[in-house]
Amino acid sequence: VLGQARYPFPQTTGYSSFLLQAQASRAKVLGLANAGTDTVNCVKQAHEFGLTRKMKLVGLLCLLGDVRAMGAEAGQGLLTTEPFYWDLNERTRAFTQRLLPKMPPSIYPSTNHAGAYSAVLHYLKAAAVMGPAQAKASGRATIAQMRGMPTEDDCFGPGRIREDGRKIHPVYLFEVKAPAEVKMGWDLYKLAGSIEAEQAMRPLSQGGCPMVRS
């Protein structure tokens, strides 16, 4: 790491001075440790200043909706990690086609939508095994049941809930497509790599979770 630059949050909208510091460092990669509108504005301004021709941009918390907001022209080449992308495989495409009629116009599902669906589905599966009355009577017993069952859905595929409550599943490295590669509005990612489930999450031993009993 050659350097870092902090900016006043949340009032900053101009990032030129911070981006120029990054450029002056001669680093090969610029990691954006922000999110949402801040990330979108940083990427747009980096593109305007020509930084994207000299540095690889990496969004440490950048979701598909953010990339849609910045556009492929500004975002092309940006690297980001997500556990879900609507066009990742046959199962994610099938999930998306089921969901689109229920979504607002011109909105495709994101990791947040997928996470909500996955969590609720797993809860309902646990409640079905226990019986609704028992699931309603004891949240502790329901959580134990959820942890004792493997997870499985069209968004994340197979996985599990670890002792500390963290959902374990693969995560994927995506690169934002160049405008010429984009076939339609939400066709923004191409797969650049995969991270196996157990390597994608912080190790249990490093979490310090009080729910974990040694």
Side-chain angles (χ1 to χ4, degrees):
V1 177
L2 297 181
Q4 63 179 5
R6 299 175 181 269
Y7 61 86
F9 176 83
Q11 62 267 35
T12 304
T13 56
Y15 300 92
S16 58
S17 63
F18 309 109
L19 292 170
L20 291 175
Q21 287 181 51
Q23 183 178 12
S25 74
R26 299 186 182 276
K28 297 179 181 178
V29 177
L30 172 59
L32 300 174
N34 50 16
T37 302
D38 285 4
T39 300
V40 172
N41 288 337
C42 277
V43 173
K44 284 183 175 181
Q45 291 173 31
H47 176 70
E48 292 170 2
F49 297 151
L51 263 69
T52 51
R53 295 194 298 270
K54 305 172 183 177
M55 310 174 74
K56 175 66 75 173
L57 267 58
V58 177
L60 303 187
L61 182 56
C62 184
L63 302 181
L64 182 64
D66 302 321
V67 176
R68 168 77 169 174
M70 68 183 67
E73 178 63 35
Q76 58 185 305
L78 173 77
L79 292 174
T80 187
T81 54
E82 294 209 52
F84 170 84
Y85 175 51
W86 71 269
D87 199 24
L88 178 64
N89 54 47
E90 291 298 330
R91 297 186 71 179
T92 59
R93 286 189 285 272
F95 167 78
T96 299
Q97 290 306 312
R98 294 198 306 271
L99 193 62
L100 282 179
K102 306 177 188 301
M103 297 285 285
S106 302
I107 298 294
Y108 270 57
S110 70
T111 289
N112 291 337
H113 297 110
Y117 169 84
S118 177
V120 172
L121 179 64
H122 191 61
Y123 165 77
L124 293 174
K125 288 180 178 178
V129 171
M130 300 171 64
Q134 185 181 358
K136 184 177 180 180
S138 174
R140 186 181 296 274
T142 305
I143 290 173
Q145 179 66 46
M146 292 174 69
R147 288 180 179 169
M149 298 170 53
T151 62
E152 176 67 51
D153 58 68
D154 286 344
C155 296
F156 304 116
R160 67 185 180 92
I161 301 177
R162 204 166 59 183
E163 298 92 316
D164 59 352
R166 185 179 291 274
K167 172 70 162 55
I168 305 299
H169 50 240
V171 175
Y172 305 94
L173 177 67
F174 294 107
E175 181 177 353
V176 177
K177 291 182 174 181
E181 300 174 290
V182 175
K183 299 175 182 177
M184 46 82 76
W186 290 89
D187 173 38
L188 294 167
Y189 286 167
K190 54 186 176 183
L191 185 65
S194 301
I195 308 170
E196 295 181 6
E198 297 300 330
Q199 280 70 52
M201 309 299 171
R202 180 175 61 186
L204 183 66
S205 60
Q206 297 179 13
C209 178
M211 291 191 294
V212 178
R213 300 289 184 264
S214 58

